[in-house]
């Protein structure tokens, strides 16, 4: 038997509950929409843009908070400088497929195109070809052992000129952005051809660059913490989650509507101080939102349909505190998973020098990492579900 | 202790070190001693530290007072404080322990030479294998990343941790990015070791490196590039000298390199060829430094210091000597050594006070292979910083850096100490840029003014150094200053010109015309400047750059210039070869000076050269390659002598051209004899009139040629020209012996008819010259034997001469030759009887060693033919007896070849006479290297295993010894014979009859590639003495070498197969054929066919994807199937066993040593065992795909994955 690196336990899954989240304002029937289901294991593959999400935890904690009932979990399998057709790995580390399988991926988010784009126009045909092949391959795999992976392709993001004058100058960045956009467009075309949802965050991130005076990247290409805060919001929106601090509900009958506001992971620039509740389709009338005895806000059905900001301190603080705890657990989990997935001394764990000692030392250590990561998944899922239960009640004016 | 391989390595260190070091080696845990723990006290360690005479050593800091357990690297900040990185989490974190490696600031506030204060700057780090201060923070290795850590609120505690580069290799934590150092131009250099796959994104595109090299990072440009791609093991040292030359120390091999020469452009995934080292070798090393401190004695200045950590534990010292374009060195007394086995110096640097600070990792166990990474005896708590001073000189006043004004700081760049200038540059990078620029300008003006003042030649070098510092400072600030660069490129100080040329390389993207600048430097009078120019040109990736590189040929060359020119021209082959292949006008070769064009052509393989379109120089080059095809040479000859070129009609005939070639070869420094043969061959194909037209030339060559080959070829041409072979026609009247021999040799090369015409003249020589110098008659015999027209006539003439005492042997040889070529040369009525006694006498009297010579081989063959004729005709026993007698008088002549792609010899057995001479000619017609080793009876496996073991323990040493283990079990051996090469090995067979195995000991080959030399007391009469398997076409087609495939080169081809649909029948059939042709089926079962040496592959598709399969084929030793892992046992008396471990208990180890015979189990008692290791070497050979095209690799892998 040729020894192989054991990338970890296959996740044993219950039959997935069909629990489609309908993106606000989007049609549920659209074929190229990513469907998230209960218990989904979401895996990220691709380049450093994807890899760096784990350093900040905004997208993962935001996703968990946005869909607390789905009990999602995330694994970041991205690898610096990966391209659709070039993904060198340490000896016997195993190809991306093997790790997606080990993680039992139900959903795979793919991040490709940024590194490929340096090949310019000349490289576009090869990129289209390689990407198409990759998308067709990944969407056919039964990583979770039972059904084909649901996948989505995420666009590259633009490059930024730094105010410090370091790095590429404005003209060079502009040229790069032309290339990046060309690759983003090619990626979208290939995704559409293959019926794969395409999450276009290029413009969203460009808008964030334009809107923030401080740089959002560390070097023009890789986002910093604030950059990931913005990018995560753009990505979550593309995934059908509403903006943090926004709850959208609808009620045919407004009487006694129960609202569970989401936990609010704080961003890099301070804590959110409000939450916007939007309730559509209320029977005309006047409604109050209550937290126990406390009334958080009162407004007409028309106002609720527009969205009402809640600023009551104790309520928001509780949500922020829980969100912060969630993000800290997510960050801890990410670090543990990274130290296991991309362990140092891989040559002694699974590679050419695993004999004679590594085979004894490391399998138990890796199993322990897996167990700890699993525990933190559970903890994160618990923290993602807020304890707050608010009620919307019809009141007299 | 008797650990032969390791002690052999240690001998170098011990010989140069003090005698007392021997004891350390004996106790060394990493060499088999028991880890010793009593010596944990710094005072004990200090007692055991021995500085060289005049020096003093003291403790600066230890784990007893500061949290510096497992310190690994150091740096000094602008305030003179010592920063240390620690990594108690090494080799790596545990799941339940948060790693807490640190960066600690140590201060000596009271100035007593010992640290008295510390601050933990950063914590929570994980295995920070290297770090450096700069840009207001700390760059630190955090595998797989590079992190930048900052203290933004001024409390000396880091509060911002930012990953700035992702994706360096993590395969082996001690190979990961380390040896951080700023270059003089403000780039951060760090390096990594073998196994690692790094790929890092940058704003300029991804940067990739595989299997070791040096990175160069410009932080403010976020620009990362591969500075060196070289097959290092783990390079742990890097230092720049006063003039910006860098030296790189590779730890495992103890190889210290003159850095510049390996820094040329090497696009991923190529690597530089191996290069010589510039110091003697000690190993393993960690960290190097150059002495540049006025506190140290004058004679030490400029010395290269290197830490050594096992065997000799201390600091080695080499005097650096400039030599040609590079450096050499001379080892001098070690600066320091310890007799405490736990002393592990891993980094060193001169401090602001001019003393040397040494980081002591202090650990009994440091090996990563000898002990488990999780061995509990690894120390995680201790660590020291030692300080080395010289007793006779005061310490230096530490320079004011942090508090200095910018102008004062710029002026500090005039300091003597390298490290002061290093730290000043780093500080200046953090000062406001405009302020620094203004200060530099003022300083430059001042330097100019001083030069005018003094007009003193003596300090020109210093002033030029100041200007060079200014140039480097601009580089630090990313300000391109073409004017100052231009001035330094023309500096009167040659070392400044070399340094400036390197700056031009790094500014190549910003300079208007980098090609012009670098091209001009190829004519510099200083060889190192030319070297730097070549290195710069290698990055310009264009045809003009390659052509400019060639211009260094106009000057004197040396080892490093040769190396770098070759690497540069080869790296740029893609840019200049198309120009040679194109039909543009004028052809590139016409545009170049002939020596340059000739060099370019000389870099091409004969195959590529032969494919080039016809051009006089190409044709000339083809004509001059003895290994070029004869037909292609004929074409060359034709095109060189026909048609028009450049409007001039070509009048030269082939005959005249060949005459010219002959004249040139005659004057060449060395002349390959095969080239004379080729010229003669082509001459003989010319018609008489054209040869006659060149008669004057040939007569001149025949008369005045310096070499015999020249004269004979010319004489042969004259004979063909005139149709008259007689000496009178072609020789001067006065015929010296030499002239006659020239003529005889000429006759040898004539066409058969003309040779026949020469018979009377040759024959008459025997009468004319009898009794004179026998050399003429000797040659005449050979010529006569070659006259095969009317061979009976030649036979008779030779037979008459057999009894001549001077030429008897020669005539027997001639008869042997003649009867081999013309079997019916024998006289009708017998005639052989008279030859029996002379033949027997000749063989009996022959010196044994000469029995394998061509002469005696022919005589021996003649004897056998005589015996066979006798048997044929009389059938009697006399013939058989004669045959037996002759058989036993001769030598065994064996021709051995590998069966291509099958890992077999083409001969399984041959028989030789005990004590008799044996000659084995090994023709390697395979595509991988092999050797032939004859062992003692029964020792085949042991020798094979020992070869594998040595290859694993000491790859470089094993390679150097041709993979032949140093054991008395080896009796006779060839060197390592490369594909296409042939080696002849002669020896006398052992006196003891028996079965002596012969085997190829290239790692992994011995299991299959072997045979038996049967040694018998006496051969029987029917025995043969010539062994050569018929050179039949192999079962499978011969395949030509395509490429030495690496995984990355084929990955994109194979990746699509991961998702490919089931293979078509046609694809499967192609794959099945390749499975045979690539040799897979020799060892592996698949689809019900194949050998059983390796694991069956039927279930591969269950476990491996296409890429994994590719990896396993290309890198077989990187992961060996469990059932095929071998255990190596070396016994106290030096025997090796290896095989699958069957059982291991307190009494004995049981090993199944022959994979082909599972019942054969060796039992080795524990008390006899010297060492026991697991081998990670696969018996599977590498290079199996080297004859396949990428599409064929796809077919093969498809077959492995989908075979029915």
């Amino acid at each position: 038997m040729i020894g192989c690196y054991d990338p970890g336990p296959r996740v044993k899954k219950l039959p997935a509950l069909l629990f489609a989240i309908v993106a606000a304002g989007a049609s549920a029937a659209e074929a190229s929409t990513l469907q998230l289901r209960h218990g989904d294991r979401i895996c990220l593959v691709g380049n450093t843009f994807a890899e760096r999400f784990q350093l900040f935890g905004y997208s993962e904690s935001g996703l968990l908070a946005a869909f607390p009932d789905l009990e999602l979990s995330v694994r970041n399998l991205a690898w610096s400088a990966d391209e659709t057709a070039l993904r060198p790995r340490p000896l016997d580390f195993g190809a991306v497929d093997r790790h997606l399988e080990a993680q039992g991926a139900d959903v795979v988010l793919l991040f490709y195109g940024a590194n490929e784009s340096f090949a310019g126009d000349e490289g576009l045909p090869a990129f289209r070809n390689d990407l198409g092949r990759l998308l067709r391959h990944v969407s056919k795999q039964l990583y979770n052992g039972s059904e084909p992976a649901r996948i989505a392709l995420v666009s590259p993001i633009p490059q930024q000129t730094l105010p410090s004058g370091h790095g590429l100058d404005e003209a060079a960045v502009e040229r790069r952005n032309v290339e990046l956009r060309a690759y983003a467009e090619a990626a979208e075309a290939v995704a559409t051809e293959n019926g794969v949802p395409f999450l276009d965050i290029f413009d969203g991130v460009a808008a964030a660059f334009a809107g923030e005076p401080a740089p959002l990247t560390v070097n023009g290409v890789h986002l910093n913490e604030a950059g990931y805060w913005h990018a995560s919001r753009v990505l979550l929106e593309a995934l059908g989650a509403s903006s943090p601090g926004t709850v959208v509900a609808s009620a045919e009958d407004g009487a006694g509507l129960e609202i569970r506001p989401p936990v609010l992971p704080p961003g890099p620039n301070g804590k959110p101080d409000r939450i916007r509740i939007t309730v559509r389709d209320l029977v005309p009338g006047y409604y109050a939102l209550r937290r126990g005895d406390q009334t958080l806000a009162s407004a007409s059905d028309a106002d609720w349909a527009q969205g009402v900001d809640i600023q009551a301190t104790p309520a928001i603080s509780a949500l922020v505190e829980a969100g912060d705890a969630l993000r800290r657990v997510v960050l801890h989990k990410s670090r543990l998973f990274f130290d296991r997935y991309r362990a140092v001394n891989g040559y002694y764990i699974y590679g050419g020098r695993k004999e004679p000692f590594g085979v004894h030392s490391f399998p138990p250590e890796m199993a322990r990492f897996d167990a700890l990561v699993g525990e933190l998944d559970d903890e994160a899922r618990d923290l993602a579900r807020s304890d707050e239960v608010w009620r919307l009640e019809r009141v007299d004016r | 202790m008797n650990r032969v391989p390791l002690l052999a390595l240690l001998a170098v260190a011990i010989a140069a070190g003090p005698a007392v070091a021997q004891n350390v080696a004996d106790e060394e845990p990493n060499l088999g001693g028991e880890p010793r723990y009593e010596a944990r006290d710094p005072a004990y360690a200090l007692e055991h530290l021995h500085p060289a005479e005049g020096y003093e050593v003291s403790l600066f800091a230890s784990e007893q007072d500061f949290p510096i357990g497992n310190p690994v690297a150091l740096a000094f900040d602008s305030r003179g404080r010592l920063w240390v990185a620690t990594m108690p989490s090494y080799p790596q974190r545990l799941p339940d322990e948060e790693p807490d490696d640190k960066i600690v600031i140590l201060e000596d506030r009271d100035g007593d030479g010992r640290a008295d204060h510390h601050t933990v700057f950063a914590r929570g780090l994980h295995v920070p294998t290297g770090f450096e201060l700069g840009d207001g923070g700390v760059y630190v290795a955090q595998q797989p990343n590079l992190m930048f850590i900052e203290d933004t609120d001024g409390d000396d505690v880091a509060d911002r941790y930012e990953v700035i580069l992702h994706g360096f290799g993590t395969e082996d934590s001690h190979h990961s990015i380390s040896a951080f150092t700023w270059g003089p131009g403000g780039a951060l250099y760090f390096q990594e070791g073998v196994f690692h796959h790094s790929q890092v994104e940058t704003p300029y595109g991804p940067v990739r490196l595989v299997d070791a090299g040096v990175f160069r990072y410009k932080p403010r440009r976020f620009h990362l590039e591969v500075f060196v791609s070289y097959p290092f093991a783990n390079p742990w040292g890097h230092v720049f000298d006063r003039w910006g030359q860098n030296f790189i120390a590779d730890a495992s091999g103890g190889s210290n390199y003159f850095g510049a020469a390996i820094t040329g452009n090497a696009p991923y995934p190529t690597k530089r060829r191996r290069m010589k080292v510039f110091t003697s070798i000690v190993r393993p090393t960690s960290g190097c430094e150059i002495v540049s401190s006025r506190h140290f004695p004058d004679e030490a200045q400029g010395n290269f210091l290197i830490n050594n950590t096992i065997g000799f534990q201390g600091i080695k010292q080499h005097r650096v000597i400039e030599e040609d374009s590079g450096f050499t060195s001379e080892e001098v007394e070690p600066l320091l050594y310890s007799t405490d086995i736990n002393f592990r110096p891993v980094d060193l640097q001169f401090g602001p006070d001019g003393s040397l600070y040494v980081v002591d990792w202090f650990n009994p166990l440091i090996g990563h292979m000898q002990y488990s990474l999780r061995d509990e005896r690894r120390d995680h708590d201790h660590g020291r910083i030692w300080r080395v001073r010289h007793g006779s000189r005061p310490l230096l006043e530490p320079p004011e850096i942090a508090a200095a004004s910018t102008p004062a700081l710029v002026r500090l760049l005039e300091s003597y100490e390298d490290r002061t200038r290093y730290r000043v540059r780093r500080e200046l990078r953090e000062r406001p840029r405009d302020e620094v620029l203004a200060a530099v300008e003022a300083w430059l003006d001042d330097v100019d003014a001083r030069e005018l003042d003094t007009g003193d030649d003596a300090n020109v070098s210093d002033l030029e150094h100041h200007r060079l510092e200014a140039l480097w400072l601009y580089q630090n600030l990313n300000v391109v200053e073409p004017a100052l660069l231009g001035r330094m490129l023309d500096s009167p100080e040659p070392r400044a010109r070399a340094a400036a040329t390197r700056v031009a390389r790094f500014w190549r993207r910003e300079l208007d015309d980098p090609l012009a600048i670098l091209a001009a430097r190829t004519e510099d009078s200083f060889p190192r400047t030319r070297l730097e120019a070549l290195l710069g040109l290698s990055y310009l990736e264009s045809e003009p750059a390659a052509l400019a590189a060639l211009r260094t040929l106009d000057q004197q060359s040396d080892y490093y210039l040769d190396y770098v020119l070759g690497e540069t021209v080869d790296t740029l082959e893609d840019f200049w070869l198309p120009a040679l292949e194109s039909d543009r006008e004028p052809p590139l070769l016409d545009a170049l000076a002939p020596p340059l064009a000739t060099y370019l052509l000389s870099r091409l393989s004969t195959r590529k050269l032969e494919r080039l379109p016809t051009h006089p120089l190409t044709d000339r080059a083809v004509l001059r390659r003895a290994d070029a095809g004869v037909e292609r040479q004929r074409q060359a000859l034709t095109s060189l002598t026909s048609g028009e070129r450049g409007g001039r009609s070509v009048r030269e005939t082939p005959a005249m051209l060949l005459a010219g070639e002959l004249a040139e070869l005659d004057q060449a420094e060395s002349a390959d004899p095969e080239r004379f043969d080729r010229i003669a061959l082509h001459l003989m194909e010319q018609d008489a009139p054209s040869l006659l037209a060149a008669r004057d030339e040939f007569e001149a060559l025949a008369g005045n040629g310096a070499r015999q080959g020249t004269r004979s070829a010319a004489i042969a041409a004259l004979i063909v020209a005139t149709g008259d072979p007689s000496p009178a026609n072609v020789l001067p009247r006065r015929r010296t012996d030499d002239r006659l021999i020239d003529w005889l040799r000429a006759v040898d090369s004539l066409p058969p008819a003309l040779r026949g015409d020469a018979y009377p003249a040759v024959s008459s020589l025997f009468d004319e010259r009898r009794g004179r110098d026998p050399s003429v008659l000797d040659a005449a015999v050979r010529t006569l034997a070659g006259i095969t027209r009317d061979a009976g006539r030649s036979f008779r003439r030779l037979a008459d001469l057999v009894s001549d005492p001077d030429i008897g042997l020669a005539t027997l040889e001639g008869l042997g030759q003649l009867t081999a070529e013309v079997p019916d040369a024998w006289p009708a009525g017998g005639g052989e009887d008279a030859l029996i006694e002379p033949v027997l006498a000749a063989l009996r009297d022959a010196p044994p060693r000469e029995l394998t010579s061509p002469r005696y081989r022919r005589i021996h063959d003649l004897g056998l033919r005589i015996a066979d004729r006798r048997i044929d005709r009389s059938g009697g026993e006399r013939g058989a007896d004669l045959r037996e007698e002759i058989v036993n008088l001769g030598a065994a002549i064996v021709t051995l070849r590998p069966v291509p792609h099958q890992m077999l010899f083409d001969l399984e057995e041959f028989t030789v006479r005990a004590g008799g001479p044996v000659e084995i000619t090994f023709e390697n017609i395979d595509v991988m290297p092999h050797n032939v080793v004859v062992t003692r009876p029964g020792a085949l496996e042991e020798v094979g295993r020992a070869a594998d073991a040595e290859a694993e323990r000491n790859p470089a040493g094993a390679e150097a010894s041709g993979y032949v283990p140093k054991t008395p079990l080896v009796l006779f051996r060839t060197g390592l014979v490369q594909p296409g090469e042939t080696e002849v090995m002669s020896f006398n067979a052992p006196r003891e009859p028996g079965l002596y195995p012969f085997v190829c000991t290239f790692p992994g080959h011995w299991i299959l590639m072997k045979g038996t030399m049967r040694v018998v007391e006496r051969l029987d009469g029917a025995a043969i003495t010539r062994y050569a398997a018929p050179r039949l076409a192999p079962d499978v087609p011969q395949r030509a070498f395509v490429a030495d495939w690496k995984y990355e080169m084929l990955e994109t081809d194979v990746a699509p197969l991961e998702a490919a649909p089931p293979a078509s029948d046609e694809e499967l059939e192609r794959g099945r054929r390749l499975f045979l042709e690539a040799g897979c089926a020799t060892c592996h079962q698949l689809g019900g066919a194949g050998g059983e040496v390796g694991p069956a592959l039927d279930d591969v598709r269950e476990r491996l994807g296409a890429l994994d399969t590719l990896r396993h084929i290309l890198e077989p030793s990187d992961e060996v199937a469990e059932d095929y892992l071998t255990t190596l046992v070396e016994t106290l008396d030096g025997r090796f066993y290896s095989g699958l471990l069957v059982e291991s208990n307190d009494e004995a180890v049981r090993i199944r040593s022959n994979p082909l015979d599972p019942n054969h189990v060796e039992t080795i008692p524990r008390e006899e065992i010297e060492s026991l290791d697991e081998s990670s070497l696969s018996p599977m050979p590498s290079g199996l795909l080297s004859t396949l095209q990428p599409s064929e690799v796809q077919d093969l892998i498809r077959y492995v994955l989908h075979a029915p």
Side-chain angles (χ1 to χ4, degrees), chain B residues 23-314:
Chain B
N23 300 327
V24 182
D26 281 354
E27 294 165 9
E28 172 58 59
N30 296 284
L31 301 181
E34 273 301 304
R36 222 176 53 200
Y37 289 101
E38 69 269 28
R40 283 193 154 166
D41 183 356
Y44 176 96
L46 184 58
E47 275 168 35
H48 289 75
L49 272 175
H50 307 281
E53 198 179 337
Y55 291 91
E56 293 164 8
V57 60
S58 62
L59 183 71
F60 182 72
S62 85
E63 76 285 347
Q64 294 196 343
D65 302 306
F66 304 100
I68 55 169
N70 285 184
V72 64
L74 85 169
F76 286 90
D77 68 12
S78 294
R79 290 157 61 186
R81 303 181 304 174
L82 174 61
W83 295 51
V84 181
T86 74
M87 48 181 213
S89 78
Y90 177 85
Q92 70 190 94
R93 66 168 298 180
L94 288 160
D96 286 286
E97 283 175 20
E98 290 301 318
D100 192 19
D101 298 340
K102 298 178 182 68
I103 291 175
V104 180
I105 310 171
L106 296 172
E107 289 175 75
D108 169 18
R109 289 188 176 174
D110 63 11
D112 68 350
R114 273 190 82 136
D116 46 34
H117 192 269
H118 85 274
T119 314
V120 176
F121 175 78
R123 62 189 323 151
L125 300 175
H126 186 208
V127 202
T129 44
F131 82 104
E132 181 52 285
L133 309 177
D135 302 321
V138 178
Y139 293 94
V140 59
Q142 283 296 278
Q143 305 170 52
N145 303 330
L146 179 71
M147 190 179 255
F148 185 64
I149 305 179
E150 272 178 292
D151 159 31
T152 58
D153 57 11
D155 63 358
D156 276 339
V157 176
D159 44 36
R160 267 187 56 153
Y161 294 73
E162 187 90 67
V163 176
I164 54 168
L165 292 174
H166 293 253
F168 297 100
T170 61
E171 280 87 333
D172 200 336
S173 69
H174 73 274
H175 290 204
S176 66
I177 49 172
S178 71
F180 283 58
T181 186
W182 291 107
L188 186 61
Y189 294 82
F190 43 89
Q191 41 208 34
E192 70 180 5
V194 68
F195 310 142
H196 280 212
H197 297 71
S198 287
Q199 46 170 16
V200 183
E201 290 180 16
T202 79
Y204 309 84
V207 174
R208 297 188 170 88
L209 178 70
V210 62
D211 284 340
V214 183
F215 292 99
R216 177 176 187 270
Y217 183 57
K218 292 282 284 181
R220 289 191 176 159
R221 303 219 152 180
F222 313 114
H223 187 266
L224 180 78
E225 66 185 337
V226 171
F227 181 57
V228 177
S229 176
Y230 187 85
F232 298 118
N234 29 15
W236 287 345
H238 195 187
V239 65
F240 287 81
D241 78 0
R242 176 176 171 81
W243 294 97
Q245 286 301 323
N246 59 311
F247 300 90
I248 300 171
D250 187 5
S252 301
S255 302
N256 301 315
Y257 297 101
F258 162 48
I262 47 178
T263 63
N265 183 19
Y268 173 82
T270 54
K271 304 224 83 72
R272 289 268 85 86
R273 291 185 180 88
R274 291 196 180 275
M275 192 182 75
K276 73 177 183 182
V277 297
F278 91 101
T279 67
S280 57
I281 287 179
V282 282
R283 60 176 300 277
T285 61
S286 181
C288 56
E289 178 76 329
I290 287 171
V291 178
S292 171
S293 162
R294 282 162 296 151
H295 170 66
F296 268 44
D298 292 345
E299 64 271 19
Q301 302 303 313
N303 283 359
F304 179 76
L305 302 177
I306 184 144
N307 286 325
N308 199 66
T309 56
I310 300 180
F312 173 85
Q313 283 157 257

Side-chain angles (χ1 to χ4, degrees), chain B residues 1066-1085:
Chain B
E1066 192 190 324
E1067 286 170 333
L1068 283 178
E1069 176 49 28
R1070 285 205 304 264
R1072 192 193 60 76
R1073 226 173 42 237
L1074 292 162
F1075 194 73
L1076 293 172
E1077 292 175 18
C1080 315
T1082 312
C1083 296
H1084 294 283
Q1085 284 265 342

Side-chain angles (χ1 to χ4, degrees), chain A residues 118 291 358 384:
Chain A
F118 287 98
R291 180 189 192 234

Side-chain angles (χ1 to χ4, degrees), chain B residues 753-789:
Chain B
L754 273 172
R755 231 184 299 155
D757 291 348
Y759 179 86
V762 177
S763 175
S764 64
L765 278 179
F766 294 105
D767 302 319
E768 288 168 21
R769 315 288 292 193
R770 191 172 301 242
R772 310 236 313 252
D773 181 350
S775 63
V776 174
L777 295 184
D778 227 57
V781 166
R782 210 174 74 182
T783 304
L784 192 61
I787 299 178
T788 50
R789 201 185 65 182

Side-chain angles (χ1 to χ4, degrees), chain A residues 163-185:
Chain A
S164 60
H166 297 160
L168 292 185
D169 62 25
E170 199 152 358
V173 169
E174 227 158 78
R175 283 194 298 275
R176 280 292 301 138
N177 282 337
V178 171
E179 285 173 339
L180 282 162
R181 192 178 284 282
Y183 274 72
E185 283 165 7

Side-chain angles (χ1 to χ4, degrees), chain A residues 2-3 47-48 52 80-82 85 89 91-92 98 115 137 166-167 222 339 345 347-348 352 365 368, chain B residues 91-93 96 163 166 170-173 199 201 204 208 220 368-369 374 1051-1052 1059 1108 1111 1118-1119:
Chain A
I2 291 179
N47 52 36
T48 296
R52 279 175 71 88
S80 173
D82 258 11
R89 289 291 183 274
L91 177 69
D92 296 329
R98 198 199 282 178
N115 293 304
H137 170 74
H166 297 160
H222 295 131
D339 283 355
N345 281 312
Y347 220 64
Y348 299 79
E365 287 184 25
R368 179 65 187 150
Chain B
Q92 70 190 94
R93 66 168 298 180
D96 286 286
V163 176
H166 293 253
T170 61
E171 280 87 333
D172 200 336
S173 69
Q199 46 170 16
E201 290 180 16
Y204 309 84
R208 297 188 170 88
R220 289 191 176 159
H368 50 283
M369 291 290 281
R374 293 305 192 198
E1051 190 188 22
T1052 46
D1108 290 320
R1111 179 96 67 182
D1118 286 331
E1119 182 182 306

